[in-house]
Amino acid sequence: MEDTELEVSPTPSDQNSPSPSSSPSLSLPSTPSSSCAPPPAATPPLGVISEGVAELSLFIDAEVAQRACQEVLQKVKLQQVEGDVPSQHSGAKPVPNSPPVALTASGKPMKIREQEDDPEGLAPGSVKSARRRQRHNPSKQSWLLRLFESKLFDVSMAISYLHNSKEPGVQAYIGNRLFSFPHEEVDFYLPQLLNMYIHMDEDVGDAIKPYVVHRCRQSISFSLMCAWLLGAYSSDMHISTQRHSRGTKLRKLILSDELKPAGSRAHRDPLTFSLIPFYHGLSPSKRTHQRSKSDATVSISLSSNLKRTASNPKVESSQDEVTDSNSSLDSLEFETVRLAPQREFIKSLMGIGKRLATLPTKEQKTQRLISELSLLNHKLPARVWLPTAAFDHHVVRVPHTQAVVLNSKDKAPYLIYVEVLECDNFETSSVPIRIPENRIRSTRSVENLPDCGMTAEQRAGSFSMVPNYDNDDEAWSVDDIGELQVELPEVHTNSCDNISQFSVDSITSLESKDPVFIAAGDIRRRLSEQLAQAPTTFKRDPEDPSAVALKEPWEEKVRRIREGSPYGHLPNWRLLSVIVKCGDDLRQELLAFQVLQQLKSIWEQERVPLWIKPYKILVLSSDSGMIEPVVNAVSLHQVKKQSQLSLLDYLLQEHGAPTTEAFLSAQRNFVQSCAGYSLICYLLQVKDRHNGNILLDAEGHIIHIDFGFILSSSPKNLGFETSAFKLTTEFVDVMGGPEGDMFNYYKMLMLQGLIAARKHMDRVLQIVEIMQQGSQLPCFHGSSTMRGLKERFHMSLTEEQLQLLIDQLVDGSMRSLTTKLYDGFQYLTNGIM
Amino acid sequence: MSQVEKKAGLLRRTSSSKKPLKEKVVLMYDEIFKEDPAKHNSRFWDELFLMKVNLEYLESKLETVDGEEVQRIQDNINSLFHHCVQALGEEHQIKVVNALQTLCALFRGVHQKNKSASGFDIINMLMGFDKAEQRMKDLMERLDSLLCGDGSESLKSLCLKLLLCLVTVTDNISQNTILEYVMINSIFEAILQILSDVSSRGQHGYDAVVLLALLVNYRKYESVNPYIVKLSIVDDEPTLDGMGMVVHQALTEYNRQYKDKEEENQGGFFSTLTSMVRFNFHSLHLISKYVTNEAILLALYEAVHLNRNFITVLAQSHPEMDIAATPMTPTPTTPTTPLGTTPPSLDMMNNPELPLDPNLLTSNLLITFLKYASIVMQDTKDEHRLNSARLCLIILTCIAEDQYADAFLHDDNMNFRVNLHKMPMRHRKKAVDKNIPSRPLVCAVLDLMVEFIVTHMMKDFPMDLYLRCVQIIHKLLCYQKKCRIRLHYTWRELWSALINLLKFLLSNETTLLAKHNIFHLALLVVNLFNMFITYGDTFLPTSNSYDELYYEIVRMHQVFDNLYCMVLRVSTNTGQWKEAASKVTHALVNVRAIINHFNPKIESYAAVNHISQLSEEQVLEVVRSNYDTLTLKLQDGLDQFERYSEQPKEAAFFKELVRSISLNVRKNVSLNTLSQDVLLKEFSTIS
C-alpha cells in the first residue's frame, strides 16, 4: 500500500500538466494512453486506490496539490466560457489522482463496439434519432463519442449508457462524465447509480465509485443518502454474496467517516485545501475555531447530557476545558463527528417508531410519542436536518405536542412538525444557540436580551403601558396570569366594548356609584354565538388523532406553532413536517416518486398542463424511511366523513357557486390533476385506490398517495380493481358530467399526456428498469413487468388509435363495477368511506 | 491498605469480645480531652484518622465536658477540627472517611452540649473564633472538591451527610450561625452538579435536594441568602430536570407504597366483609403509616416558587426508560426510616416499570405531584399531614398563577389520565379507575379541588386549606376567562360541591365562627359563582352549560336564601363580622336576582301545565326562554386576585415547617450507614 501511494502521488502532476494543452476533440482517446504509458506500475486495481484516497491526500505534496488546484480553477473558468468540454471536465476534480484512475481503468486504448443494448428507439425525436444515427453509422465510435460530447448528452442518457453499455471504456468514460453534470441532476438518479453499483458487474461499479466517493467527501448529506440507499438496496441480496459486500463495503467506508471532507475543504477554500491537513492543528483560523467549537458542543450534547448554559459555572467551566482542549484539534474533532449528529437524530426517530409499535392503543402511542419527542428536544438544536426539505437548515426544535400518530393497523407511522432555521449551508453555518422552552422568561433576564432583539422589540409594543422594567421584582412578576390581558389586547378590549355598550344602554343606577348592568340574555347569546363562530375543527377523536392535525390549514398551523416557539421570532424560522415510517419499505414509493417526477418534467417540457404532485421520499433502509407530507390536503375519505356531502357539493361549499371564478379554477385544477393521476395509475398500474389514498387539496387538486401496489403487485391478489384507473361518477360529476366540456378536456389532457410521455418513454423506462436489477420488490414480481410497462406506452399506435384507447380506458373505468366494489371492500375491512 | 484493613478488623474483634479493654481510638479521644495529644506522639493525628471512628463515644465525651473544662480543652478541640479539615485533603480515603465522621461528631457533640449557647460560642469552641473563617473556608472547599471530583460515591454520600448534619444541628436553622460560612463559601454549584449528572443524581440526588431546600431556608426573611438568589436564576435544563427527577422519584415511591398498601388492605376487606367503618379505619391507618415527605415537598415548593424556569420541568414528561438509564452502583441502604435522608428505595430506578403498563406509561412531575397531593389531602388530622396538605396547596397556588404552567395545564394536545386517590366514603362508591378519560391536566387539578371540598367538611374545619383551594379554582378560572379557553369539564360537580360547602358553613355557623371568619370563604365561593354568571360566555364549553348553571342555582336556591338571611343578619348587627358579612350580601346580588327572576317563572310554568314536579329538562326550558328579562349587575374585580406571596403571611408556617423537617432529618441522618466494612471493601479495590 505504502509503496503504491508514494508512486502514485507524483502522477497527478505528470498527468495534469499535459492535459490542458491537448485539444478537446482528441482528448478522450489520447489522454489515457499518454498518461498511462509512463507509469505502467501505477495502475493498480481501482478499489485499492480510491479506498486509499483518504491517506493519499495526506501524502500529496502541498505544492503539487496547489498547482493542481489552480489548474482546476483555470479549467472551471474555461468550462464556463466554452460550455461543454469533456476532456477538461475529467480534470475538474479536486482529488487530483482520480482522472488517471478512471481513464486508465480499462488498461488499454478504448474500443467502442456497437451498443447491443441500445433501446429500440422507434419514436421520432432529436435524442432518439441521434442514437439511431449513431447505430447505423459505420464509424460508430466517433458517433458515440460525438454524442457524448454533444450538448444533448444529459444525465438521463449517461445513466442509460452506463446501464446498457457492456464496454468498460464507455462505462469508465461516463463515470468520469458524471463529474461534469450539475449535482442536483445526478442526485435524482442516485438510487439508479447506487443500485447499479451494488448489482451490476465490477466495471460499472468501478466507473461509478470515484464519483460517489468524491461527492461523499464534499457533502455530509450526500454521504448519508448514499449510505442509506446502499443499505436499502443491498438488503435483497443473499448475505454471503460477494457483490453484496461491495455495496456494504462502500457503505461502511462512508459511515466510518473516512471520506473526510478533504473535498469539502477544497470546496470552501480551494487554494489552501491541501495545506489544512498539515497546518490546521497549529494555526486554527478564527473561523474554524468557532465552527468546531459549536460542533464539539453538538457532539457532546448528543452523546451525553452535559450542560451548556451559564447558570452552572462549574459544569460550564469543565465544558470549556473540553472545548479548549479540542480547539487545538478542532478540525479533526469536526470530522469525526461529521455524520454522527444526523445519524443519531434519525436513529432516535426510528427508535421512537419502534417503541410506539409495541403499544396497543392510539392514545398511548400519542402520549408516548409526545413524551419521547420532548426528550429529543433536549438534544436540539444540533447539526441535523430533514433530508426531505428543499433548503439548507438546522433543526432547532420539535414542537412535541403537535405530533400525531397516523392511522395504521400494526405499525406506527407518525407525523412530526419540525422547527428549523434556514441557513446558507448546514455543514458550515454555525448551529443555532439553544433558547430555553420558556422564551418569555428568558427574554426578561438581562443577559439574553441582546440575543433576542426581535422578541424584545415585538414585546416592547405590547408592554409599553406596563412599566415593569423598573425593578427586578416587577419584571419577575410579569409572567403570571394577573397581567395576562396585556398579551391579549383584543380579547380585553372586546369585553370592554361589550360592557361599555351595556353601560350606555342601561344606566339606571339603583345602587351605589354607577353600577353597570348586563343582560343575562346577552351573556347567553354571546356564548352561543362565539361557540358557533369558532372555526369548525374536527372533533378530537382518540382513535384518529391525525384528522384534527391535518385539517388545520398549514398557514394557521405555522402561525400557531411559531407563536408558541422560543425560536419563532427569528426571521429564518421555518416549519417543516415529515412522516416517519418505521417498519415500512419505502423503496417502491421512491420508485414511484421518481417516475412521477420524471413524468412531471416531461409534461412540463412538452407543455402539457397535467398536474401531479410527487412528494419526496427518503429511504433509510429496506424497512424505514420518511415521507414529505402533502400539506393542506385531506383524504377524500375524511372529506366525505366530515362533510357528509358528495364531492361536487363539497367543492361547491368550499369554492363557491358553479359559475364563480373560484369554483371554475378549482374544477380546472381537479380535471388537470385527475388526468395526470389517471395516466399515472394506468401506466404504473397503481392499485389500492380507495378514498383514503386520494387526497384533495385546498385548490381542488387531487393527489394520489401510497404507491405500495404498483406495476406487478396488487393488494392481496384479490383481482379487484381491474379498471385502468379510478374514475367514479362523483369525479365525473365534478367535471360536469360525461357530456361536459371539462370531461372532454380531461380526455384530451390524457391523450396529450400520453403522447408526451410516449415520446420520452425511455426516460421513464430506464428508471424502472435499473431498479429492477437485483430487486425482490413485489412490484417487480414476475418476468413481464418491464414488457407490460413498455406496452402501456403503445408505441405502435397512431394518435387516432391512441385517442380511441383513451376513450376505451375512460369508459371502462367509469363503468367499472370493481371501483365501486373496491370502495365497498375497503369500507368493510378498513372503515374507509 | 491491607494492613489497615487488618488492623481495623482486629480492633473490632477485640472490642466486641472483651468489653473492659478500650478501643485504641477511644484512648486517643481521651487523650484529646486531657492535653495536647501531639506533644508525646508527633504522629498522633495521622494515626487518629486511621482508626475507626467511635461516634457515640466522641459525642458523649463532648457532651459531658463541663464549663471550665471547655476552656481548658478548647485548643485541643480546635486542633482536632483543624486536623479533620486537613485530613479531608488526604489521598488516603480511609482518613477522609474518618475525618468526615469525626467532624460530624464534633458538630453534634458541641451543639448538644451547648444548646443554649450563642452561635459565636459554639464557633469559638469548635474552631476558635479568629481562625473560624479560614477553617470553614477550607472545609467547604474540601467538601466541594470531594463532591465534584471523580472520587468514591460513598465519600460523596458521606460529604452530603456531613452537610446535612451541620445544617440540621440546631432546631431552628436560622440560629445556626456556622451556616453563615456556608453562605459565604457556597456549595450550591456542587449540589447542582450532582443533580445534573444522571448517575450521581440517582445516588445522592435525594440528599442534595433536601440539603438545598434547607439551605434556602436559612435566614430566609432576614438577610440575603445567596442560595435563594442562585436557585432563582438557574436556567440549565438538565440540572432543573435532574432536580425534578429526584422529587418525582421520591413522590412516586410514596405513591407506590401507598397503593401497594391500599391494595393489600382492600383484599382483606373484601374477603372478610368488614363494615365500612372498619374500612375507613383501615384507610386512615394506612395513611398514617407513611409519613409524608415534607423535605422533598419543601424542595419542590422552593423550586416552583423561586425558579421560573422550573415550571417547564413540571410538564417534562418522563418516559420510564430515562429512569432505567440510571446506572447504579451498590448503595448502602438502611432499614426504612419514615422521613429523612434515606433515599427512597432505589429498586424503582433499577426496575423500570413495564413499558406496556398503560397507567405508568408516561408521567410527569405534575401528575405525580397531583397523585401525591390526593393521598396526602385525604386525612389532615395529623400535624404532619396537615402541613403537607397545606404545602401541596401552596405549590398548586404558585402553579395556578404561572402563565406557562397554565398554558400547559390547559393544553388540549396534552391529555393524561390521572388516577387521583379518593377517600372511600360511605355515601359513594369507589370510583373505577379504569374509566378515567384522558383529559388536559387542569381537569385533574379541578377534580382534586372538588374532592377536597367535599371530603373535609368537618367540625375541625381546615379553613386555611379551604381558602387556598377555592383560590386555586379562582385563579384557574381567571386564566380561562382571559385566554378564552373553553374547557370541557363537568362544571356541575364543582358547582354542587361549592353549594354544599355553603350549606355546611351555614349549618355550623356558630361553631365555626368561634374560630374562623367564615364570611371570607363564603365571599370567595359566591364570587366563583359570579365568575360563571358574568363571564361564563368567555370560558364555558357549551351554551347548555350556562343553562345548567342557572338550573343548579335555582335548584339549590334555599342555600343561597339562607346564606343571604344569615349575612344580612350579621351585617345589620354590630360586631366583628359586620364588614365581612356585608360584603357577602353585595356579592349575592346576582345570584338572588337569578333566583327571584326564575323561581316565579318556574312556579307559574308548573301551575299552567299542572305539573307538580318539573323535570330538569322542563326547568332548563323555562330558564332558556326567560333570559332576556333578567338584568344582572356587573361586579368589579371578579377576575382579580391577590398574588401569592410568602412573606409575611406564610413566614410562620414555613419557619415551623423547616424546624420540623430539620428535626426529622437530624434524627435520620445516618452516618453509620456506611459501615467500615463496605468502605474498606470499596477502597481496597480502588487503591
Side-chain angles (χ1 to χ4, degrees), chain A residues 243-280:
Chain A
R243 280 177 173 177
H244 174 77
S245 65
R246 178 163 58 157
T248 332
K249 237 160 87 187
L250 180 57
R251 182 166 176 270
K252 274 188 190 143
L253 176 72
I254 294 170
L255 290 182
S256 72
D257 226 349
E258 268 168 47
L259 303 177
K260 297 228 171 73
S264 85
R265 235 164 244 298
H267 177 68
R268 261 182 268 129
D269 203 353
L271 285 179
T272 55
F273 78 96
S274 58
L275 303 177
I276 287 171
F278 296 98
Y279 297 116
H280 71 266

Side-chain angles (χ1 to χ4, degrees), chain B residues 126-373:
Chain B
L126 274 173
M127 305 163 242
F129 206 72
D130 46 341
K131 300 183 208 97
E133 199 162 329
Q134 188 56 42
R135 295 278 178 277
M136 281 305 290
K137 185 164 180 281
D138 291 345
L139 173 63
M140 296 315 289
E141 276 169 2
R142 297 252 152 89
L143 288 178
D144 185 271
S145 60
L146 282 171
L147 283 173
C148 295
D150 297 327
S152 141
E153 295 300 329
S154 312
L155 266 187
K156 290 187 184 179
S157 165
L158 209 50
C159 287
L160 285 170
K161 304 267 189 226
L162 171 64
L163 283 164
L164 279 173
C165 172
L166 171 60
V167 168
T168 59
V169 85
T170 55
D171 290 354
N172 180 350
I173 193 171
S174 299
Q175 283 169 5
N176 190 348
T177 321
I178 304 179
L179 292 188
E180 263 330 306
Y181 298 111
V182 182
M183 294 294 131
I184 301 166
N185 306 294
S186 169
I187 49 148
F188 183 79
E189 289 73 18
I191 295 176
L192 282 202
Q193 197 187 329
I194 285 171
L195 291 177
S196 64
D197 179 76
V198 180
S199 78
S200 68
R201 178 206 308 156
Q203 294 170 77
H204 317 299
Y206 190 92
D207 283 349
V209 163
V210 172
L211 178 64
L212 183 59
L214 287 169
L215 283 172
V216 163
N217 277 282
Y218 172 73
R219 291 168 66 85
K220 204 184 203 180
Y221 308 111
E222 295 102 65
S223 66
V224 180
N225 179 331
Y227 289 83
I228 293 181
V229 179
K230 285 180 179 174
L231 178 59
S232 66
I233 57 169
V234 178
D235 64 354
D236 180 68
E237 281 174 60
T239 308
L240 291 173
D241 263 2
M243 201 188 293
M245 284 293 275
V246 172
V247 177
H248 184 243
Q249 276 159 13
L251 299 185
T252 307
E253 177 62 13
Y254 179 91
N255 294 351
R256 196 184 57 80
Q257 283 180 3
Y258 176 82
K259 203 165 182 186
D260 288 353
K261 205 78 204 161
E262 189 185 45
E263 272 157 19
E264 212 172 277
N265 282 2
Q266 257 172 13
F269 162 68
F270 285 119
S271 58
T272 57
L273 289 171
T274 24
S275 69
M276 265 305 175
V277 186
R278 174 86 182 277
F279 187 85
N280 266 336
F281 168 77
H282 259 277
S283 65
L284 290 186
H285 174 69
L286 187 134
I287 299 163
S288 50
K289 244 190 184 162
Y290 294 99
V291 180
T292 50
N293 210 332
E294 286 151 312
I296 217 75
L297 215 50
L298 178 68
L300 176 62
Y301 164 75
E302 297 294 358
V304 168
H305 179 235
L306 291 175
N307 189 304
R308 313 196 56 95
N309 300 310
F310 190 78
I311 293 288
T312 45
V313 173
L314 289 175
Q316 188 63 55
S317 305
H318 295 296
E320 52 285 279
M321 75 246 168
D322 198 18
I323 304 169
T326 318
M328 292 309 305
T329 52
T331 323
T333 42
T334 41
T336 43
T337 44
L339 163 126
T341 63
T342 316
S345 148
L346 295 162
D347 315 343
M348 195 191 82
M349 291 178 254
N350 277 334
N351 311 325
E353 293 124 353
L354 286 174
L356 292 181
D357 187 333
N359 293 321
L360 299 172
L361 194 61
T362 38
S363 186
N364 57 41
L365 181 51
L366 198 50
I367 294 176
T368 309
F369 169 70
L370 287 174
K371 285 184 188 169
Y372 176 83

Side-chain angles (χ1 to χ4, degrees), chain A residues 305 307-309 311-315 355 358-359 363-364 367-368 370-372 374-375 378 401-402 434 436-438 440-441 476 479-482 484-485 487-488 491 495 499 511 515-521 523-528 530-531 540, chain B residues 144 148 196 198 235-239 241 308-309 312 316-317 320-321 356 358 362 400-404 406 412-417 438 475 479 482-484 486 533-534 537 540-543 546-547 550 624 627-628 630-634 641 643:
Chain A
N305 57 349
K307 334 279 92 57
R308 36 184 141 193
T309 47
S311 67
N312 192 342
K314 202 146 264 168
V315 181
R355 285 189 290 274
T358 62
L359 298 174
E363 191 188 320
Q364 282 170 307
Q367 274 194 9
R368 178 62 174 262
I370 288 172
S371 62
E372 294 250 15
S374 79
L375 280 187
H378 281 262
T401 60
Q402 306 303 320
R434 181 178 175 82
E437 203 55 20
N438 35 8
I440 309 162
R441 283 163 229 289
W476 277 122
D479 268 338
D480 68 63
I481 55 175
L484 204 68
Q485 68 265 35
E487 312 211 351
L488 294 162
V491 172
S495 57
I499 289 159
E511 282 190 26
V516 179
F517 289 99
I518 44 179
I523 298 175
R524 174 65 162 69
R525 213 166 297 125
R526 256 180 284 149
L527 175 59
S528 36
Q530 281 170 9
L531 284 169
R540 199 162 284 279
Chain B
D144 185 271
C148 295
S196 64
V198 180
D235 64 354
D236 180 68
E237 281 174 60
T239 308
D241 263 2
R308 313 196 56 95
N309 300 310
T312 45
Q316 188 63 55
S317 305
E320 52 285 279
M321 75 246 168
L356 292 181
T362 38
E401 278 179 14
D402 186 278
Q403 182 198 329
Y404 184 91
D406 277 324
D412 208 22
N413 282 323
M414 304 284 280
N415 292 325
F416 295 96
R417 290 175 204 280
S438 200
K475 282 164 190 174
Y479 176 80
K482 274 169 186 155
C483 295
R484 311 228 150 184
R486 302 184 184 279
I533 294 167
T534 20
D537 57 330
L540 282 174
T542 59
S543 15
Y546 196 68
D547 308 336
Y550 279 52
R624 271 185 216 115
Y627 275 124
D628 282 331
L630 173 64
T631 307
L632 300 170
K633 192 181 160 213
L634 187 74
F641 56 82
R643 263 187 61 80

Side-chain angles (χ1 to χ4, degrees), chain A residues 577-624:
Chain A
S577 62
V578 72
I579 294 171
V580 181
K581 286 241 186 186
C582 190
D584 285 302
D585 188 350
L586 294 183
R587 286 177 292 172
Q588 271 183 207
E589 288 279 346
L590 179 60
L591 180 65
F593 162 76
Q594 285 190 297
V595 171
L596 259 71
Q597 188 67 51
Q598 192 73 289
L599 283 170
K600 190 181 173 193
S601 72
I602 290 170
W603 288 331
E604 266 165 23
Q605 189 186 331
E606 299 292 329
R607 301 180 190 282
V608 188
L610 290 174
W611 190 95
I612 51 173
K613 169 134 186 95
Y615 50 89
K616 287 206 186 110
I617 302 291
L618 178 72
V619 171
L620 292 170
S621 73
S622 56
D623 68 345
S624 62

